[in-house]
PDB file of all heavy atoms in Angstrom:
ATOM      1  N   MET A   1     -73.121  17.993-168.633  1.00  0.00           N
ATOM      2  CA  MET A   1     -74.252  18.067-167.692  1.00  0.00           C
ATOM      3  C   MET A   1     -73.979  19.180-166.692  1.00  0.00           C
ATOM      4  O   MET A   1     -73.291  18.986-165.690  1.00  0.00           O
ATOM      5  CB  MET A   1     -74.396  16.716-166.983  1.00  0.00           C
ATOM      6  CG  MET A   1     -75.533  16.661-165.975  1.00  0.00           C
ATOM      7  SD  MET A   1     -77.127  16.511-166.765  1.00  0.00           S
ATOM      8  CE  MET A   1     -78.201  17.060-165.449  1.00  0.00           C
ATOM      9  N   LYS A   2     -74.501  20.362-166.988  1.00  0.00           N
ATOM     10  CA  LYS A   2     -74.270  21.531-166.148  1.00  0.00           C
ATOM     11  C   LYS A   2     -75.566  22.310-166.003  1.00  0.00           C
ATOM     12  O   LYS A   2     -76.142  22.734-166.999  1.00  0.00           O
ATOM     13  CB  LYS A   2     -73.199  22.427-166.757  1.00  0.00           C
ATOM     14  CG  LYS A   2     -71.899  21.708-167.063  1.00  0.00           C
ATOM     15  CD  LYS A   2     -71.007  22.551-167.943  1.00  0.00           C
ATOM     16  CE  LYS A   2     -69.818  21.724-168.418  1.00  0.00           C
ATOM     17  NZ  LYS A   2     -68.979  22.468-169.374  1.00  0.00           N
ATOM     18  N   GLY A   3     -76.008  22.454-164.755  1.00  0.00           N
ATOM     19  CA  GLY A   3     -77.262  23.159-164.540  1.00  0.00           C
ATOM     20  C   GLY A   3     -78.409  22.450-165.215  1.00  0.00           C
ATOM     21  O   GLY A   3     -78.656  21.268-164.987  1.00  0.00           O
ATOM     22  N   LYS A   4     -79.106  23.120-166.107  1.00  0.00           N
ATOM     23  CA  LYS A   4     -80.252  22.526-166.796  1.00  0.00           C
ATOM     24  C   LYS A   4     -79.874  21.913-168.143  1.00  0.00           C
ATOM     25  O   LYS A   4     -80.721  21.361-168.843  1.00  0.00           O
ATOM     26  CB  LYS A   4     -81.336  23.578-166.996  1.00  0.00           C
ATOM     27  CG  LYS A   4     -80.937  24.751-167.877  1.00  0.00           C
ATOM     28  CD  LYS A   4     -82.070  25.772-167.992  1.00  0.00           C
ATOM     29  CE  LYS A   4     -82.350  26.434-166.663  1.00  0.00           C
ATOM     30  NZ  LYS A   4     -83.461  27.397-166.748  1.00  0.00           N
ATOM     31  N   ARG A   5     -78.599  21.984-168.528  1.00  0.00           N
ATOM     32  CA  ARG A   5     -78.171  21.539-169.853  1.00  0.00           C
ATOM     33  C   ARG A   5     -77.472  20.187-169.800  1.00  0.00           C
ATOM     34  O   ARG A   5     -76.781  19.872-168.847  1.00  0.00           O
ATOM     35  CB  ARG A   5     -77.217  22.572-170.468  1.00  0.00           C
ATOM     36  CG  ARG A   5     -77.835  23.925-170.691  1.00  0.00           C
ATOM     37  CD  ARG A   5     -76.821  24.890-171.301  1.00  0.00           C
ATOM     38  NE  ARG A   5     -75.730  25.184-170.371  1.00  0.00           N
ATOM     39  CZ  ARG A   5     -74.462  24.979-170.632  1.00  0.00           C
ATOM     40  NH1 ARG A   5     -74.084  24.449-171.790  1.00  0.00           N
ATOM     41  NH2 ARG A   5     -73.510  25.287-169.755  1.00  0.00           N
ATOM     42  N   PHE A   6     -77.656  19.394-170.836  1.00  0.00           N
ATOM     43  CA  PHE A   6     -76.849  18.197-171.068  1.00  0.00           C
ATOM     44  C   PHE A   6     -76.990  17.799-172.527  1.00  0.00           C
ATOM     45  O   PHE A   6     -77.885  18.265-173.242  1.00  0.00           O
ATOM     46  CB  PHE A   6     -77.247  17.040-170.137  1.00  0.00           C
ATOM     47  CG  PHE A   6     -78.622  16.466-170.350  1.00  0.00           C
ATOM     48  CD1 PHE A   6     -78.874  15.549-171.361  1.00  0.00           C
ATOM     49  CD2 PHE A   6     -79.670  16.826-169.515  1.00  0.00           C
ATOM     50  CE1 PHE A   6     -80.137  15.007-171.560  1.00  0.00           C
ATOM     51  CE2 PHE A   6     -80.941  16.296-169.699  1.00  0.00           C
ATOM     52  CZ  PHE A   6     -81.171  15.387-170.714  1.00  0.00           C
ATOM     53  N   VAL A   7     -76.101  16.922-172.987  1.00  0.00           N
ATOM     54  CA  VAL A   7     -76.154  16.391-174.351  1.00  0.00           C
ATOM     55  C   VAL A   7     -76.023  14.878-174.262  1.00  0.00           C
ATOM     56  O   VAL A   7     -75.124  14.369-173.578  1.00  0.00           O
ATOM     57  CB  VAL A   7     -75.010  16.962-175.225  1.00  0.00           C
ATOM     58  CG1 VAL A   7     -75.051  16.347-176.617  1.00  0.00           C
ATOM     59  CG2 VAL A   7     -75.101  18.476-175.312  1.00  0.00           C
ATOM     60  N   VAL A   8     -76.902  14.143-174.944  1.00  0.00           N
ATOM     61  CA  VAL A   8     -76.795  12.686-174.997  1.00  0.00           C
ATOM     62  C   VAL A   8     -76.404  12.292-176.416  1.00  0.00           C
ATOM     63  O   VAL A   8     -77.050  12.703-177.383  1.00  0.00           O
ATOM     64  CB  VAL A   8     -78.118  12.003-174.560  1.00  0.00           C
ATOM     65  CG1 VAL A   8     -79.306  12.491-175.347  1.00  0.00           C
ATOM     66  CG2 VAL A   8     -77.989  10.473-174.641  1.00  0.00           C
ATOM     67  N   LEU A   9     -75.331  11.508-176.553  1.00  0.00           N
ATOM     68  CA  LEU A   9     -74.812  11.139-177.871  1.00  0.00           C
ATOM     69  C   LEU A   9     -74.894   9.647-178.152  1.00  0.00           C
ATOM     70  O   LEU A   9     -74.536   9.208-179.240  1.00  0.00           O
ATOM     71  CB  LEU A   9     -73.358  11.603-178.016  1.00  0.00           C
ATOM     72  CG  LEU A   9     -73.125  13.117-178.033  1.00  0.00           C
ATOM     73  CD1 LEU A   9     -71.652  13.425-178.306  1.00  0.00           C
ATOM     74  CD2 LEU A   9     -73.991  13.807-179.075  1.00  0.00           C
ATOM     75  N   ALA A  10     -75.350   8.864-177.181  1.00  0.00           N
ATOM     76  CA  ALA A  10     -75.509   7.426-177.401  1.00  0.00           C
ATOM     77  C   ALA A  10     -76.508   6.892-176.389  1.00  0.00           C
ATOM     78  O   ALA A  10     -76.634   7.416-175.277  1.00  0.00           O
ATOM     79  CB  ALA A  10     -74.173   6.696-177.258  1.00  0.00           C
ATOM     80  N   GLY A  11     -77.232   5.834-176.777  1.00  0.00           N
ATOM     81  CA  GLY A  11     -78.152   5.172-175.856  1.00  0.00           C
ATOM     82  C   GLY A  11     -79.324   6.024-175.403  1.00  0.00           C
ATOM     83  O   GLY A  11     -79.853   5.825-174.305  1.00  0.00           O
ATOM     84  N   GLU A  12     -79.775   6.939-176.248  1.00  0.00           N
ATOM     85  CA  GLU A  12     -80.862   7.847-175.865  1.00  0.00           C
ATOM     86  C   GLU A  12     -82.181   7.133-175.621  1.00  0.00           C
ATOM     87  O   GLU A  12     -83.090   7.674-174.992  1.00  0.00           O
ATOM     88  CB  GLU A  12     -81.046   8.940-176.919  1.00  0.00           C
ATOM     89  CG  GLU A  12     -81.379   8.441-178.319  1.00  0.00           C
ATOM     90  CD  GLU A  12     -80.142   8.079-179.134  1.00  0.00           C
ATOM     91  OE1 GLU A  12     -79.027   8.095-178.593  1.00  0.00           O
ATOM     92  OE2 GLU A  12     -80.321   7.745-180.327  1.00  0.00           O
ATOM     93  N   GLN A  13     -82.292   5.881-176.091  1.00  0.00           N
ATOM     94  CA  GLN A  13     -83.545   5.137-175.913  1.00  0.00           C
ATOM     95  C   GLN A  13     -83.836   4.857-174.436  1.00  0.00           C
ATOM     96  O   GLN A  13     -84.990   4.575-174.080  1.00  0.00           O
ATOM     97  CB  GLN A  13     -83.507   3.816-176.693  1.00  0.00           C
ATOM     98  CG  GLN A  13     -82.586   2.742-176.129  1.00  0.00           C
ATOM     99  CD  GLN A  13     -81.142   2.903-176.527  1.00  0.00           C
ATOM    100  OE1 GLN A  13     -80.777   3.855-177.228  1.00  0.00           O
ATOM    101  NE2 GLN A  13     -80.293   1.980-176.103  1.00  0.00           N
ATOM    102  N   ARG A  14     -82.847   4.927-173.567  1.00  0.00           N
ATOM    103  CA  ARG A  14     -83.084   4.671-172.142  1.00  0.00           C
ATOM    104  C   ARG A  14     -83.682   5.884-171.426  1.00  0.00           C
ATOM    105  O   ARG A  14     -84.197   5.756-170.318  1.00  0.00           O
ATOM    106  CB  ARG A  14     -81.786   4.291-171.433  1.00  0.00           C
ATOM    107  CG  ARG A  14     -81.258   2.909-171.750  1.00  0.00           C
ATOM    108  CD  ARG A  14     -80.140   2.519-170.785  1.00  0.00           C
ATOM    109  NE  ARG A  14     -79.577   1.223-171.126  1.00  0.00           N
ATOM    110  CZ  ARG A  14     -78.604   1.044-171.996  1.00  0.00           C
ATOM    111  NH1 ARG A  14     -78.080   2.103-172.608  1.00  0.00           N
ATOM    112  NH2 ARG A  14     -78.138  -0.163-172.259  1.00  0.00           N
ATOM    113  N   LEU A  15     -83.578   7.069-172.038  1.00  0.00           N
ATOM    114  CA  LEU A  15     -83.978   8.280-171.341  1.00  0.00           C
ATOM    115  C   LEU A  15     -85.502   8.385-171.198  1.00  0.00           C
ATOM    116  O   LEU A  15     -86.254   8.135-172.141  1.00  0.00           O
ATOM    117  CB  LEU A  15     -83.462   9.520-172.057  1.00  0.00           C
ATOM    118  CG  LEU A  15     -81.970   9.818-171.925  1.00  0.00           C
ATOM    119  CD1 LEU A  15     -81.644  11.153-172.573  1.00  0.00           C
ATOM    120  CD2 LEU A  15     -81.539   9.816-170.475  1.00  0.00           C
ATOM    121  N   VAL A  16     -85.932   8.758-170.005  1.00  0.00           N
ATOM    122  CA  VAL A  16     -87.328   9.101-169.718  1.00  0.00           C
ATOM    123  C   VAL A  16     -87.335  10.601-169.432  1.00  0.00           C
ATOM    124  O   VAL A  16     -86.777  11.057-168.433  1.00  0.00           O
ATOM    125  CB  VAL A  16     -87.873   8.319-168.507  1.00  0.00           C
ATOM    126  CG1 VAL A  16     -89.296   8.760-168.193  1.00  0.00           C
ATOM    127  CG2 VAL A  16     -87.812   6.820-168.770  1.00  0.00           C
ATOM    128  N   TRP A  17     -87.955  11.360-170.309  1.00  0.00           N
ATOM    129  CA  TRP A  17     -87.897  12.823-170.228  1.00  0.00           C
ATOM    130  C   TRP A  17     -88.985  13.324-169.278  1.00  0.00           C
ATOM    131  O   TRP A  17     -90.019  13.821-169.693  1.00  0.00           O
ATOM    132  CB  TRP A  17     -88.050  13.425-171.616  1.00  0.00           C
ATOM    133  CG  TRP A  17     -87.040  12.913-172.595  1.00  0.00           C
ATOM    134  CD1 TRP A  17     -87.097  11.748-173.314  1.00  0.00           C
ATOM    135  CD2 TRP A  17     -85.789  13.519-172.926  1.00  0.00           C
ATOM    136  NE1 TRP A  17     -85.964  11.594-174.078  1.00  0.00           N
ATOM    137  CE2 TRP A  17     -85.145  12.671-173.871  1.00  0.00           C
ATOM    138  CE3 TRP A  17     -85.150  14.706-172.538  1.00  0.00           C
ATOM    139  CZ2 TRP A  17     -83.899  12.972-174.420  1.00  0.00           C
ATOM    140  CZ3 TRP A  17     -83.915  14.995-173.084  1.00  0.00           C
ATOM    141  CH2 TRP A  17     -83.300  14.147-174.006  1.00  0.00           C
ATOM    142  N   ASP A  18     -88.732  13.204-167.988  1.00  0.00           N
ATOM    143  CA  ASP A  18     -89.768  13.521-166.996  1.00  0.00           C
ATOM    144  C   ASP A  18     -89.458  14.784-166.198  1.00  0.00           C
ATOM    145  O   ASP A  18     -90.051  15.022-165.140  1.00  0.00           O
ATOM    146  CB  ASP A  18     -89.952  12.342-166.028  1.00  0.00           C
ATOM    147  CG  ASP A  18     -88.681  11.952-165.296  1.00  0.00           C
ATOM    148  OD1 ASP A  18     -87.600  12.439-165.683  1.00  0.00           O
ATOM    149  OD2 ASP A  18     -88.771  11.160-164.344  1.00  0.00           O
ATOM    150  N   ALA A  19     -88.527  15.593-166.673  1.00  0.00           N
ATOM    151  CA  ALA A  19     -88.218  16.855-165.994  1.00  0.00           C
ATOM    152  C   ALA A  19     -88.306  17.996-166.996  1.00  0.00           C
ATOM    153  O   ALA A  19     -87.884  17.861-168.151  1.00  0.00           O
ATOM    154  CB  ALA A  19     -86.828  16.810-165.373  1.00  0.00           C
ATOM    155  N   ASP A  20     -88.862  19.117-166.564  1.00  0.00           N
ATOM    156  CA  ASP A  20     -88.964  20.312-167.400  1.00  0.00           C
ATOM    157  C   ASP A  20     -87.730  21.182-167.150  1.00  0.00           C
ATOM    158  O   ASP A  20     -87.582  21.741-166.053  1.00  0.00           O
ATOM    159  CB  ASP A  20     -90.229  21.083-167.045  1.00  0.00           C
ATOM    160  CG  ASP A  20     -90.405  22.331-167.894  1.00  0.00           C
ATOM    161  OD1 ASP A  20     -89.544  22.598-168.754  1.00  0.00           O
ATOM    162  OD2 ASP A  20     -91.401  23.054-167.693  1.00  0.00           O
ATOM    163  N   PRO A  21     -86.829  21.306-168.134  1.00  0.00           N
ATOM    164  CA  PRO A  21     -85.624  22.112-167.914  1.00  0.00           C
ATOM    165  C   PRO A  21     -85.926  23.542-167.481  1.00  0.00           C
ATOM    166  O   PRO A  21     -85.113  24.157-166.779  1.00  0.00           O
ATOM    167  CB  PRO A  21     -84.932  22.086-169.286  1.00  0.00           C
ATOM    168  CG  PRO A  21     -85.433  20.835-169.931  1.00  0.00           C
ATOM    169  CD  PRO A  21     -86.849  20.685-169.471  1.00  0.00           C
ATOM    170  N   ALA A  22     -87.071  24.057-167.901  1.00  0.00           N
ATOM    171  CA  ALA A  22     -87.417  25.432-167.526  1.00  0.00           C
ATOM    172  C   ALA A  22     -87.605  25.585-166.022  1.00  0.00           C
ATOM    173  O   ALA A  22     -87.504  26.693-165.482  1.00  0.00           O
ATOM    174  CB  ALA A  22     -88.689  25.869-168.258  1.00  0.00           C
ATOM    175  N   ARG A  23     -87.886  24.479-165.339  1.00  0.00           N
ATOM    176  CA  ARG A  23     -88.091  24.518-163.896  1.00  0.00           C
ATOM    177  C   ARG A  23     -86.826  24.170-163.110  1.00  0.00           C
ATOM    178  O   ARG A  23     -86.846  24.134-161.883  1.00  0.00           O
ATOM    179  CB  ARG A  23     -89.218  23.556-163.501  1.00  0.00           C
ATOM    180  CG  ARG A  23     -90.577  23.942-164.068  1.00  0.00           C
ATOM    181  CD  ARG A  23     -91.658  22.951-163.647  1.00  0.00           C
ATOM    182  NE  ARG A  23     -92.966  23.346-164.127  1.00  0.00           N
ATOM    183  CZ  ARG A  23     -93.784  24.161-163.473  1.00  0.00           C
ATOM    184  NH1 ARG A  23     -93.425  24.646-162.285  1.00  0.00           N
ATOM    185  NH2 ARG A  23     -94.971  24.474-163.969  1.00  0.00           N
ATOM    186  N   VAL A  24     -85.745  23.879-163.833  1.00  0.00           N
ATOM    187  CA  VAL A  24     -84.484  23.522-163.172  1.00  0.00           C
ATOM    188  C   VAL A  24     -83.645  24.777-162.983  1.00  0.00           C
ATOM    189  O   VAL A  24     -83.459  25.558-163.923  1.00  0.00           O
ATOM    190  CB  VAL A  24     -83.703  22.491-164.008  1.00  0.00           C
ATOM    191  CG1 VAL A  24     -82.359  22.180-163.359  1.00  0.00           C
ATOM    192  CG2 VAL A  24     -84.524  21.225-164.181  1.00  0.00           C
ATOM    193  N   GLU A  25     -83.141  24.964-161.781  1.00  0.00           N
ATOM    194  CA  GLU A  25     -82.330  26.135-161.490  1.00  0.00           C
ATOM    195  C   GLU A  25     -80.940  25.997-162.106  1.00  0.00           C
ATOM    196  O   GLU A  25     -80.379  24.900-162.167  1.00  0.00           O
ATOM    197  CB  GLU A  25     -82.176  26.317-159.973  1.00  0.00           C
ATOM    198  CG  GLU A  25     -83.470  26.638-159.251  1.00  0.00           C
ATOM    199  CD  GLU A  25     -83.247  26.830-157.764  1.00  0.00           C
ATOM    200  OE1 GLU A  25     -82.072  26.767-157.331  1.00  0.00           O
ATOM    201  OE2 GLU A  25     -84.223  27.054-157.045  1.00  0.00           O
ATOM    202  N   ASP A  26     -80.390  27.120-162.583  1.00  0.00           N
ATOM    203  CA  ASP A  26     -79.006  27.119-163.038  1.00  0.00           C
ATOM    204  C   ASP A  26     -78.087  26.892-161.843  1.00  0.00           C
ATOM    205  O   ASP A  26     -78.451  27.176-160.700  1.00  0.00           O
ATOM    206  CB  ASP A  26     -78.660  28.445-163.709  1.00  0.00           C
ATOM    207  CG  ASP A  26     -79.158  28.502-165.146  1.00  0.00           C
ATOM    208  OD1 ASP A  26     -79.092  27.453-165.824  1.00  0.00           O
ATOM    209  OD2 ASP A  26     -79.618  29.569-165.588  1.00  0.00           O
ATOM    210  N   GLU A  27     -76.892  26.403-162.112  1.00  0.00           N
ATOM    211  CA  GLU A  27     -75.938  26.138-161.046  1.00  0.00           C
ATOM    212  C   GLU A  27     -75.544  27.404-160.321  1.00  0.00           C
ATOM    213  O   GLU A  27     -75.300  28.438-160.939  1.00  0.00           O
ATOM    214  CB  GLU A  27     -74.669  25.494-161.621  1.00  0.00           C
ATOM    215  CG  GLU A  27     -74.727  24.002-161.668  1.00  0.00           C
ATOM    216  CD  GLU A  27     -73.378  23.434-162.108  1.00  0.00           C
ATOM    217  OE1 GLU A  27     -72.481  24.218-162.465  1.00  0.00           O
ATOM    218  OE2 GLU A  27     -73.252  22.199-162.093  1.00  0.00           O
ATOM    219  N   ASP A  28     -75.468  27.305-159.004  1.00  0.00           N
ATOM    220  CA  ASP A  28     -74.896  28.365-158.195  1.00  0.00           C
ATOM    221  C   ASP A  28     -73.384  28.361-158.426  1.00  0.00           C
ATOM    222  O   ASP A  28     -72.753  27.311-158.389  1.00  0.00           O
ATOM    223  CB  ASP A  28     -75.210  28.110-156.713  1.00  0.00           C
ATOM    224  CG  ASP A  28     -74.803  29.282-155.829  1.00  0.00           C
ATOM    225  OD1 ASP A  28     -73.631  29.706-155.918  1.00  0.00           O
ATOM    226  OD2 ASP A  28     -75.653  29.754-155.051  1.00  0.00           O
ATOM    227  N   SER A  29     -72.809  29.525-158.670  1.00  0.00           N
ATOM    228  CA  SER A  29     -71.374  29.595-158.969  1.00  0.00           C
ATOM    229  C   SER A  29     -70.522  29.034-157.842  1.00  0.00           C
ATOM    230  O   SER A  29     -69.417  28.544-158.069  1.00  0.00           O
ATOM    231  CB  SER A  29     -70.964  31.050-159.246  1.00  0.00           C
ATOM    232  OG  SER A  29     -71.231  31.857-158.114  1.00  0.00           O
ATOM    233  N   ARG A  30     -71.028  29.060-156.614  1.00  0.00           N
ATOM    234  CA  ARG A  30     -70.255  28.549-155.483  1.00  0.00           C
ATOM    235  C   ARG A  30     -70.113  27.037-155.510  1.00  0.00           C
ATOM    236  O   ARG A  30     -69.224  26.473-154.878  1.00  0.00           O
ATOM    237  CB  ARG A  30     -70.919  28.975-154.168  1.00  0.00           C
ATOM    238  CG  ARG A  30     -70.829  30.459-153.894  1.00  0.00           C
ATOM    239  CD  ARG A  30     -71.642  30.825-152.675  1.00  0.00           C
ATOM    240  NE  ARG A  30     -73.056  30.542-152.881  1.00  0.00           N
ATOM    241  CZ  ARG A  30     -74.003  30.776-151.964  1.00  0.00           C
ATOM    242  NH1 ARG A  30     -73.664  31.246-150.783  1.00  0.00           N
ATOM    243  NH2 ARG A  30     -75.262  30.501-152.225  1.00  0.00           N
ATOM    244  N   SER A  31     -71.005  26.331-156.236  1.00  0.00           N
ATOM    245  CA  SER A  31     -70.949  24.867-156.272  1.00  0.00           C
ATOM    246  C   SER A  31     -70.366  24.333-157.570  1.00  0.00           C
ATOM    247  O   SER A  31     -70.320  23.138-157.788  1.00  0.00           O
ATOM    248  CB  SER A  31     -72.355  24.274-156.070  1.00  0.00           C
ATOM    249  OG  SER A  31     -73.182  24.584-157.165  1.00  0.00           O
ATOM    250  N   ARG A  32     -69.902  25.233-158.439  1.00  0.00           N
ATOM    251  CA  ARG A  32     -69.347  24.788-159.710  1.00  0.00           C
ATOM    252  C   ARG A  32     -68.015  24.104-159.510  1.00  0.00           C
ATOM    253  O   ARG A  32     -67.188  24.523-158.716  1.00  0.00           O
ATOM    254  CB  ARG A  32     -69.167  25.962-160.668  1.00  0.00           C
ATOM    255  CG  ARG A  32     -70.483  26.474-161.231  1.00  0.00           C
ATOM    256  CD  ARG A  32     -70.238  27.624-162.166  1.00  0.00           C
ATOM    257  NE  ARG A  32     -71.514  28.189-162.623  1.00  0.00           N
ATOM    258  CZ  ARG A  32     -71.633  29.370-163.200  1.00  0.00           C
ATOM    259  NH1 ARG A  32     -70.558  30.118-163.394  1.00  0.00           N
ATOM    260  NH2 ARG A  32     -72.809  29.806-163.588  1.00  0.00           N
ATOM    261  N   ARG A  33     -67.796  23.055-160.274  1.00  0.00           N
ATOM    262  CA  ARG A  33     -66.538  22.338-160.236  1.00  0.00           C
ATOM    263  C   ARG A  33     -65.683  22.771-161.413  1.00  0.00           C
ATOM    264  O   ARG A  33     -66.134  23.492-162.304  1.00  0.00           O
ATOM    265  CB  ARG A  33     -66.781  20.826-160.291  1.00  0.00           C
ATOM    266  CG  ARG A  33     -67.600  20.298-159.133  1.00  0.00           C
ATOM    267  CD  ARG A  33     -67.772  18.805-159.243  1.00  0.00           C
ATOM    268  NE  ARG A  33     -66.504  18.128-159.219  1.00  0.00           N
ATOM    269  CZ  ARG A  33     -65.965  17.581-158.127  1.00  0.00           C
ATOM    270  NH1 ARG A  33     -66.591  17.661-156.983  1.00  0.00           N
ATOM    271  NH2 ARG A  33     -64.801  16.981-158.178  1.00  0.00           N
ATOM    272  N   LYS A  34     -64.453  22.300-161.419  1.00  0.00           N
ATOM    273  CA  LYS A  34     -63.505  22.652-162.465  1.00  0.00           C
ATOM    274  C   LYS A  34     -64.089  22.435-163.858  1.00  0.00           C
ATOM    275  O   LYS A  34     -63.938  23.269-164.742  1.00  0.00           O
ATOM    276  CB  LYS A  34     -62.242  21.835-162.286  1.00  0.00           C
ATOM    277  CG  LYS A  34     -61.220  21.931-163.397  1.00  0.00           C
ATOM    278  CD  LYS A  34     -60.065  20.996-163.089  1.00  0.00           C
ATOM    279  CE  LYS A  34     -59.118  20.877-164.240  1.00  0.00           C
ATOM    280  NZ  LYS A  34     -58.053  19.909-163.978  1.00  0.00           N
ATOM    281  N   ALA A  35     -64.737  21.301-164.062  1.00  0.00           N
ATOM    282  CA  ALA A  35     -65.226  20.960-165.394  1.00  0.00           C
ATOM    283  C   ALA A  35     -66.369  21.849-165.839  1.00  0.00           C
ATOM    284  O   ALA A  35     -66.772  21.829-166.986  1.00  0.00           O
ATOM    285  CB  ALA A  35     -65.659  19.500-165.441  1.00  0.00           C
ATOM    286  N   SER A  36     -66.951  22.646-164.922  1.00  0.00           N
ATOM    287  CA  SER A  36     -67.991  23.588-165.309  1.00  0.00           C
ATOM    288  C   SER A  36     -67.390  24.830-165.936  1.00  0.00           C
ATOM    289  O   SER A  36     -68.023  25.523-166.699  1.00  0.00           O
ATOM    290  CB  SER A  36     -68.803  24.007-164.083  1.00  0.00           C
ATOM    291  OG  SER A  36     -69.497  22.935-163.550  1.00  0.00           O
ATOM    292  N   VAL A  37     -66.144  25.117-165.579  1.00  0.00           N
ATOM    293  CA  VAL A  37     -65.486  26.305-166.074  1.00  0.00           C
ATOM    294  C   VAL A  37     -64.725  26.006-167.361  1.00  0.00           C
ATOM    295  O   VAL A  37     -64.777  26.734-168.340  1.00  0.00           O
ATOM    296  CB  VAL A  37     -64.520  26.867-165.010  1.00  0.00           C
ATOM    297  CG1 VAL A  37     -63.815  28.108-165.539  1.00  0.00           C
ATOM    298  CG2 VAL A  37     -65.299  27.198-163.735  1.00  0.00           C
TER     299      VAL A  37
END
């Protein structure tokens, strides 16, 4: 789960797809954590 990207591998039936990834901003490099790199 980084910026506008994520992958769901189990329990996808709970997801409500109510956000448009195209409207989500990419992460600012200043707020990235170790796991983003």
Side-chain angles (χ1 to χ4, degrees):
M1 180 76 200
K2 306 167 189 175
K4 63 181 66 181
R5 298 180 294 123
F6 66 81
V7 177
V8 54
L9 294 185
E12 59 275 6
Q13 72 278 1
R14 287 192 183 87
L15 286 186
V16 177
W17 304 83
D18 58 349
D20 181 0
R23 296 180 177 273
V24 177
E25 294 181 3
D26 280 322
E27 270 186 354
D28 188 307
S29 60
R30 291 173 297 180
S31 67
R32 287 180 185 164
R33 299 181 61 97
K34 172 183 171 184
S36 295
V37 179

